[in-house]
Amino acid sequence: DDAWLSVGDLRSKKLPKEPALDLTLFEKGMALRVLADGKRYQAEVLEVSAARARRAAPIKVRYAGYTAASDEWVGADRVSTKALSKKTGAESKPANKSDERQAVDELVSAGWVIPVETEGALQDHSIAVKDGKILDILPTSEAVKKYRGKSRTNLPNAAIMPGFVNTHSHAPMSFMRGISDDIPLSKWLHTAIWPIEQTLVGPEFVGDGARLAFAEMIMGGTTTTNEMYWCPEDICKAAVEAGIRAAVGMIAIEFPFGGYGTGPDDYLAKGEKMVEKYGKEPLLTFTVSLHAPYTVSDDTIQKGKALCEKYDVPLHIHMHETKEECSDSEKLNKDSNVCHMSTFEGTPLANLRRMGLVTPKLLAVHMTCLTDDEIKWMAEGKANVVHCPSSNLKLASGFCRVGDLLEAGVNVAIGTDGASSNNTVDMMAEMKLAAILAKAVAKNAEAVPADVALRMATLHGARALGLEDRIGSLKVGKEADMIAVDLSGLPLLPAPTSGRRDASFDPVTHIVYSSTRDQVTDVWVRGRRLLRSRKLLTINIAQVRRDAKRWGERITELLAELKRKATEEAAGADKAATGS
Ligand SMILES: [Zn+2]
């Protein structure tokens, strides 16, 4: 049974590392010379695989004059390097006169393209990208004849889809993940989050924390994030450096905050300065981000409304996060720390409606407590709900009536909320949770099907942020914010066989219900690659790790100090009570 094997078939630590093949140099139909039995044969590329299992031999070839029975997977050791260098040379030289194909910046071919704009998935399609925009979406067989990509990407086992739009996030809170789990919202804010923020948060904390979140987001396929946090200028800076698209909030809250400013007027003035400084950045847009009805007065809400009109930007606010927020506001129970600051007797949404703020510009985050009338107001006002299922479940805040909202015609987008209450910024997981939780809440398995969940996680977010004409789906003329999801991993098998969910295995249901964010291999924002074969190209991971370690140590020290103080205070109270 002795046999001669190719190096690619052998496994040993003593073997030199397999020279990696640049798969972007290969495409279906390309002619090659392949080494077999000691001779070089003319062959044609049948398939290119980026799957891990095929790393040693990622190219499937058909030998000229031979049948399919002789087809083989081959690797770097057997593909003629001469042919490769010729091919590489051709790419860098000006176009051959006989090559009449239109030059584009990048031609991305994939087993599937999921436009979201239209239903279902397109098999063996390509996307031509030029000047950051989608120039064309067409079958790969036509694309290779029509376009010559300066950069060529071939992902036969992947689906290309629009990047996720995380419609509610507090990116810098990444450093606070895991410090305050398993307690309710009010206690969570008052005993852990706010004391830490008052002590540590400033420009450096915000920039470093945002960078960690943006790295996590990009690796998980998020291309746009809607940010509400202190020191928003430092979020802008981190977003621009990372190349992620961001809507950044001019934040306001009623109380002074050491690391940022003295109160709402100061915060909003600083927000305006941010818009002046970063307004021309192509990937940045802005919102007015008011924290919540129980932390902003009607006066501040009015000022926020004026800024929304001045800059034509959305109003982003936490609303109806818990039942108590609604019932205590209706009763004007001012002893409650979640009663709204207004003197109006009614729910916070009724108050906003009274002030003329239930409009397409409203992004109401959470909305776990909603009456039928309130759903009607949201639909009539064409206002947006941002659903954050992980945060609502973990803080036991309540359940958003997503199925009813969608049925009423309300645009429902999805957000992760901060990593301090989620504890990740994983939009792939949030999308699945939104789909399955909606079924349980509606007691209807047909509520929020996979394609609707995918729209909520992409196009609905873009619509809420006023970016629907630029991003959120793959459509000619839109900006190329897109991701590749590898469908060849075991948890996603059998591989999709049809682009229609009623016909057979379908990439959309595979992505929504079976995939995790680790299957995201490549990410583009405005045509620029941020992640290539799971390698981050715009963020220094070693730096992110060092920052996380440093801030983690400072938070640990501070938590110990807070605990010591609480114990001392409790002991003092005991003493006073016993009169000793
Ligand atoms: Zn939030």
Side-chain angles (χ1 to χ4, degrees):
D1 296 327
D2 291 354
W4 288 98
L5 297 173
S6 87
V7 181
D9 294 332
L10 305 176
R11 294 286 176 275
S12 165
K13 280 182 186 152
K14 287 182 183 161
L15 278 173
K17 271 215 175 127
E18 194 66 35
L21 270 182
D22 181 358
L23 296 184
T24 61
L25 296 175
F26 297 87
E27 58 191 35
K28 203 173 162 181
M30 175 182 165
L32 276 182
R33 286 178 73 75
V34 176
L35 188 65
D37 307 325
K39 280 190 218 157
R40 293 214 175 266
Y41 291 84
Q42 196 65 40
E44 181 192 333
V45 175
L46 288 182
E47 203 180 326
V48 183
S49 169
R52 272 184 89 83
R54 292 241 174 264
R55 205 164 34 181
I59 316 290
K60 190 176 187 182
V61 295
R62 162 96 29 103
Y63 293 99
Y66 290 78
T67 65
S70 308
D71 290 352
E72 255 194 307
W73 288 93
V74 296
D77 55 320
R78 295 185 46 197
V79 175
S80 164
T81 50
K82 207 170 154 194
L84 280 184
S85 58
K86 220 188 277 171
K87 169 84 181 160
T88 315
E91 296 249 335
S92 58
K93 270 186 243 160
N96 187 320
K97 268 191 190 140
S98 66
D99 188 349
E100 286 173 350
R101 293 180 299 171
Q102 184 181 344
V104 292
D105 296 326
E106 181 154 14
L107 187 62
V108 183
S109 304
W112 301 93
V113 169
I114 303 171
V116 174
E117 188 71 29
T118 50
E119 265 182 37
L122 308 165
Q123 193 163 9
D124 287 326
H125 268 58
S126 294
I127 299 173
V129 178
K130 194 161 193 252
D131 300 328
K133 289 188 174 172
I134 297 170
L135 179 72
D136 206 348
I137 302 173
L138 69 174
T140 298
S141 55
E142 293 170 29
V144 292
K145 289 179 200 146
K146 193 170 173 188
Y147 298 107
R148 181 173 45 80
K150 283 179 210 157
S151 170
R152 180 83 179 92
T153 301
N154 207 345
L155 301 165
N157 297 316
I160 305 287
M161 56 168 266
F164 293 117
V165 179
N166 186 346
T167 317
H168 179 66
S169 157
H170 315 281
M173 293 181 94
S174 288
F175 289 148
M176 288 185 253
R177 83 171 106 223
I179 57 161
S180 184
D181 295 330
D182 311 321
I183 55 175
L185 173 66
S186 181
K187 195 173 170 199
W188 177 82
L189 283 174
H190 286 88
T191 64
I193 301 303
W194 285 347
I196 287 178
E197 287 187 330
Q198 287 285 7
T199 314
L200 292 184
V201 171
E204 196 189 349
F205 180 98
V206 168
D208 293 347
R211 204 172 306 116
L212 168 59
F214 294 161
E216 187 187 341
M217 284 183 192
I218 293 167
M219 293 194 77
T222 292
T223 50
T224 298
T225 179
N226 180 29
E227 292 297 331
M228 174 196 281
Y229 206 65
W230 302 111
C231 308
E233 271 202 28
D234 297 277
I235 299 177
C236 290
K237 187 164 176 276
V240 169
E241 284 169 7
I244 195 168
R245 193 183 295 275
V248 184
M250 293 177 256
I251 193 172
I253 199 163
E254 219 57 34
F255 52 77
F257 184 80
Y260 187 51
T262 55
D265 291 343
D266 186 25
Y267 304 141
L268 291 175
K270 283 178 169 147
E272 287 201 76
K273 275 198 187 133
M274 164 182 75
V275 175
E276 279 162 31
K277 185 170 174 187
Y278 285 96
K280 289 207 167 65
E281 284 293 338
L283 296 179
L284 296 184
T285 54
F286 305 93
T287 67
V288 169
S289 288
L290 306 179
H291 177 260
Y294 54 90
T295 52
V296 285
S297 66
D298 281 359
D299 185 42
T300 300
I301 294 174
Q302 290 290 6
K303 286 173 185 163
K305 184 186 178 195
L307 275 193
C308 286
E309 283 159 9
K310 180 174 175 185
Y311 293 102
D312 191 23
V313 296
L315 177 73
H316 175 205
I317 182 168
H318 294 110
M319 287 278 292
H320 292 204
E321 185 164 1
T322 58
K323 196 168 88 230
E324 292 70 31
E325 181 188 327
C326 295
S327 56
D328 289 343
S329 301
E330 279 183 302
K331 288 180 280 191
L332 276 187
N333 173 14
K334 292 291 178 187
D335 291 335
S336 157
N337 53 24
V338 289
C339 173
H340 67 183
M341 292 189 78
S342 175
T343 51
F344 172 74
E345 270 183 67
T347 64
L349 184 66
N351 189 37
L352 284 202
R353 184 165 177 258
R354 187 178 65 95
M355 295 163 91
L357 281 162
V358 181
T359 71
K361 288 259 181 267
L362 176 65
L363 271 79
V365 180
H366 297 312
M367 300 302 256
T368 66
C369 179
L370 276 171
T371 63
D372 290 345
D373 276 347
E374 286 171 329
I375 290 179
K376 211 157 72 188
W377 300 344
M378 291 295 285
E380 283 166 2
K382 295 191 166 55
N384 308 279
V385 167
V386 185
H387 178 40
C388 304
S390 289
S391 179
N392 297 159
L393 289 174
K394 184 156 177 277
L395 293 168
S397 301
F399 305 100
C400 180
R401 292 167 60 187
V402 172
D404 295 338
L405 284 162
L406 289 170
E407 203 173 309
V410 177
N411 182 54
V412 183
I414 298 175
T416 59
D417 213 348
S420 44
S421 67
N422 183 300
N423 296 1
T424 68
V425 286
D426 179 353
M427 277 294 289
M428 186 84 87
E430 213 66 21
M431 171 173 68
K432 174 175 178 176
L433 188 55
I436 59 181
L437 178 62
K439 298 172 201 307
V441 170
K443 296 189 173 57
N444 174 10
E446 290 177 357
V448 187
D451 55 328
V452 173
L454 188 65
R455 285 174 85 85
M456 287 166 67
T458 54
L459 192 57
H460 287 196
R463 185 178 301 153
L465 293 171
L467 295 171
E468 193 182 2
D469 56 340
R470 291 172 58 189
I471 56 161
S473 62
L474 303 181
K475 185 182 177 190
V476 172
K478 279 197 179 185
E479 295 177 30
D481 286 17
M482 51 194 200
I483 65 174
V485 183
D486 180 42
L487 301 173
S488 67
L490 287 185
L492 284 96
L493 296 183
T497 48
S498 158
R500 283 178 34 237
R501 59 199 300 254
D502 57 345
S504 190
F505 300 107
D506 156 49
V508 173
T509 52
H510 268 23
I511 287 172
V512 174
Y513 294 127
S514 309
S515 183
T516 67
R517 60 177 167 179
D518 295 338
Q519 266 82 47
V520 175
T521 58
D522 295 79
V523 172
W524 296 258
V525 170
R526 211 164 173 255
R528 178 190 181 196
R529 187 93 63 124
L530 307 185
L531 186 76
R532 184 192 295 275
S533 305
R534 288 209 61 69
K535 189 175 184 306
L536 265 175
L537 303 179
T538 52
I539 297 177
N540 180 344
I541 291 293
Q543 182 66 45
V544 169
R545 286 185 184 282
R546 280 195 294 273
D547 293 339
K549 183 167 184 288
R550 185 163 45 90
W551 286 109
E553 285 164 0
R554 289 190 63 183
I555 289 170
T556 305
E557 281 166 25
L558 183 62
L559 284 173
E561 202 182 306
L562 285 171
K563 203 168 178 185
R564 205 163 42 237
K565 266 191 200 157
T567 316
E568 278 167 19
E569 273 167 27
D574 279 353
K575 252 189 192 172
T578 55
S580 56

